[in-house]
Amino acid sequence: MFFNEFEEDLAAEGRSHGVHCAREQLKVLCRSNLQEAKWCDEKCIPTCKEHMPIAIPNFGYILEAVACYLGLGELLMV
């Protein structure tokens, strides 16, 4: 899997600590995508109150921010 290789590369640099967070954020994103797919399949229109906790993680910005942080490498040390 992508994260295993990424973790190995970052471990060599001593920076693998954030991979767990990225992995967990990917799980959150997948769960929210799955819930929206279920709603679509069931032809269910959720209320705004039901949809917002699912929609916000579905943007993927948290996962993107964590992945960018991990990929910045030495730029963060400046």
Side-chain angles (χ1 to χ4, degrees), residues 15-35:
R15 302 184 309 111
S16 64
H17 56 277
V19 175
H20 173 74
C21 184
R23 199 177 268 138
E24 292 304 310
Q25 286 304 315
L26 180 61
K27 290 177 186 178
V28 169
L29 180 64
C30 289
R31 279 190 220 99
S32 62
N33 279 329
L34 180 60
Q35 181 60 52

Side-chain angles (χ1 to χ4, degrees), residues 6-20:
F6 199 44
E7 188 170 26
E8 289 173 11
D9 292 344
L10 291 174
E13 300 172 18
R15 302 184 309 111
S16 64
H17 56 277
V19 175
H20 173 74

